[in-house]
Amino acid sequence: MMNSEADIYSGPIFDCDTHLYEVADSWSRYLPEKFRKDWGYQWRRAADNAEWALHIGDRKVEVSAGYFTEEGHIPPPGKLKEWLAAMKMGKAEVDLRVPMTPDMYEAEARLKKMDEFNVEGCLLYCGNMVSTISYLDQVEPAYAVLDAYNRWMLDDWGYVYKDRIFSAPLLTLADKAKAIEQAKFVVKNGARMVLMPMGPFGGKSPADPWFDDFWAILNEAHIRVVFHVSEAIYLKSAMAEWGEPMQQSRMRQSAFMWMHGYSERPVLETLSSYIFHNFFARFPNIRLISAENGAEWVPSMLVKMDKVRGMSRGGYWPAGQLEDRPSAIFKEFVTVVAYPEDDIKTIIDLTGSADFLVMGSDYPHSEGVERPAIFANEALAHVSAKDREAIMYQNGKRLMKAVA
């Protein structure tokens, strides 16, 4: 790993993985009264121990425990390695926390931070909300919570802020009629991207033609659909078969769960479903984005998809045969946010392209890099200057250029 103090890339940046932090009324501002007792979000101490954690009604969101302090302090941005090292040495977690700064929860302040970082544009995802998606397991309350959250996001951030910050409201296909209402709302209010849970809905692939009237709305608006790392509700029963409980603290999560319940499996299955269901032949204006799932799985996925396409030529194709190789479809319609620790040169060599790869700082989270330019130092030291500029800037900018 190179020294982060000497940046090897000094050009403009398009950051495809950034986050906000919610404020006190992010979930409650628009949540109908009848849902507030059982589905209201609040930070408080759990009844069973002293952990300060996010709760949905009486349910503790385990992964949130210990992340914020009661004073609202957070792990320092981009300092996960230092944070973990200090903890290993016995330093108290709370001593490593820092106060939130306005750029973490205000749009105009974020623009100033972007200027400081030489970031021309960014994709902005939800904060603690992303760890709660698997808790929204009842249809009516789920839409009430998501709709309330999306209205708050529109108030405080806008779905596009000064054509530089592109925020992702949350949509789900748990109920098609309600999903269509959601799609119409976010498109009407200028959204250029949305975030959706990974996996199937109601026993159907999200790319099943049954959902086409929903997708037609997003296709007309040239929407980008993000699949951000999170617990995938549909894997809950599968993991239970292995005796592996989901919705656990990340500090107590097993290696098996990291590998099969929270890592590559849901993104592989989700993305391949869109390709094998011939989704892009029907909706060529939509692009898919994998965020914070890494990229080292891509080469083997492309090889495998091309292989099984040949094996199943005479088999069942729910939406008709593909007119191109799955790997070619992937490269045209899917964008992948790489991890800074990924071997990006090898990924490019194996796939023959850097065009589907983009960078992400994960700011202001501790897991990413302290400054976006450091991503190039950590991940792109051995790629060509042309590919470095493409991943740091050009690919992300091109992704968001085509809009309704």
Side-chain angles (χ1 to χ4, degrees):
M1 186 177 298
M2 296 188 61
N3 189 330
S4 63
E5 293 181 0
D7 295 337
I8 66 171
Y9 177 80
S10 59
I13 296 171
F14 201 101
D15 195 338
C16 292
D17 181 17
T18 73
H19 291 266
L20 56 81
Y21 277 129
E22 290 88 2
V23 295
D25 67 341
S26 297
W27 294 281
S28 62
R29 187 181 302 175
Y30 291 108
L31 187 65
E33 183 64 35
K34 72 174 185 175
F35 296 106
R36 294 194 175 191
K37 180 177 181 295
D38 294 328
W39 296 91
Y41 283 55
Q42 58 178 316
W43 288 91
R44 61 180 176 83
R45 294 200 175 277
D48 58 342
N49 57 41
E51 288 185 309
W52 181 259
L54 185 63
H55 288 68
I56 304 175
D58 290 332
R59 292 185 294 172
K60 175 185 171 187
V61 180
E62 291 290 343
V63 70
S64 73
Y67 190 82
F68 276 38
T69 67
E70 198 162 347
E71 298 76 27
H73 291 187
I74 57 169
K79 292 285 191 179
L80 181 64
K81 293 172 186 175
E82 293 88 341
W83 187 39
L84 292 176
M87 287 172 59
K88 189 175 182 180
M89 292 168 57
K91 189 173 182 179
E93 274 189 48
V94 70
D95 294 340
L96 303 172
R97 305 308 173 89
V98 296
M100 282 193 286
T101 51
D103 60 271
M104 299 175 185
Y105 52 85
E106 292 178 0
E108 192 61 32
R110 178 61 63 93
L111 278 187
K112 293 178 181 177
K113 178 62 70 172
M114 290 166 62
D115 290 340
E116 175 188 331
F117 286 160
N118 201 27
V119 172
E120 181 179 300
C122 74
L123 308 186
L124 183 79
Y125 311 132
C126 53
N128 293 286
M129 182 68 169
V130 76
S131 66
T132 72
I133 293 174
S134 66
Y135 288 77
L136 303 178
D137 51 6
Q138 295 181 33
V139 172
E140 187 181 8
Y143 279 96
V145 169
L146 293 178
D147 290 349
Y149 189 88
N150 291 342
R151 291 179 67 187
W152 163 78
M153 180 182 284
L154 181 61
D155 279 356
D156 283 23
W157 289 88
Y159 295 153
V160 179
Y161 191 75
K162 296 190 177 179
D163 212 34
R164 292 181 62 192
I165 301 175
F166 303 92
S167 303
L170 281 71
L171 274 60
T172 177
L173 281 168
D175 179 285
K176 187 172 73 168
K178 292 181 182 295
I180 288 172
E181 292 178 8
Q182 278 191 325
K184 289 179 178 178
F185 175 83
V186 300
V187 166
K188 179 181 178 182
N189 285 284
R192 298 187 196 175
M193 58 184 289
V194 299
L195 190 151
M196 296 185 68
M198 290 183 279
F201 297 90
K204 298 180 185 294
S205 160
D208 189 294
W210 193 77
F211 292 114
D212 277 5
D213 40 354
F214 165 83
W215 290 114
I217 298 167
L218 301 189
N219 184 69
E220 185 177 357
H222 293 249
I223 292 293
R224 281 70 181 104
V225 180
V226 180
F227 302 109
H228 191 282
V229 68
S230 62
E231 292 177 315
I233 296 175
Y234 80 101
L235 288 178
K236 194 171 182 177
S237 59
M239 291 299 101
E241 290 292 321
W242 291 97
E244 296 280 347
M246 294 188 77
Q247 297 176 328
Q248 299 297 302
S249 164
R250 296 287 174 265
M251 303 298 289
R252 295 189 287 270
Q253 188 164 280
S254 72
F256 187 93
M257 178 63 73
W258 276 114
M259 183 168 182
H260 298 292
Y262 188 77
S263 185
E264 297 171 3
R265 178 179 171 183
V267 71
L268 288 172
E269 292 183 352
T270 300
L271 294 177
S272 62
S273 75
Y274 283 84
I275 293 172
F276 290 137
H277 280 79
N278 214 3
F279 178 83
F280 302 104
R282 308 192 306 279
F283 304 111
N285 297 329
I286 292 176
R287 297 293 184 271
L288 308 183
I289 304 170
S290 168
E292 216 168 314
N293 295 297
E296 291 191 332
W297 46 269
V298 175
S300 60
M301 177 187 181
L302 300 190
V303 170
K304 184 68 171 180
M305 285 197 301
D306 285 350
K307 181 178 180 179
V308 299
R309 181 208 183 197
M311 294 169 63
S312 60
R313 281 192 180 276
Y316 172 56
W317 291 85
Q321 267 278 10
L322 303 181
E323 295 184 2
D324 206 346
R325 295 169 69 88
S327 58
I329 297 171
F330 182 101
K331 291 175 186 178
E332 181 176 358
F333 293 98
V334 179
T335 296
V336 179
V337 183
Y339 285 144
E341 62 266 29
D342 285 344
D343 184 351
I344 294 180
K345 184 180 186 304
T346 297
I347 296 170
I348 294 171
D349 290 345
L350 291 175
T351 62
S353 177
D355 292 345
F356 63 88
L357 292 167
V358 293
M359 66 78 63
S361 69
D362 202 25
Y363 184 84
H365 290 171
S366 62
E367 299 93 330
V369 290
E370 191 174 0
R371 294 180 293 107
I374 296 175
F375 185 97
N377 295 0
E378 297 198 0
L380 305 178
H382 302 294
V383 309
S384 68
K386 179 182 178 182
D387 286 344
R388 191 178 299 147
E389 181 182 10
I391 293 168
M392 293 296 292
Y393 176 63
Q394 296 289 356
N395 293 348
K397 183 174 182 179
R398 184 181 67 249
L399 174 68
M400 300 308 296
K401 185 176 181 180
V403 296

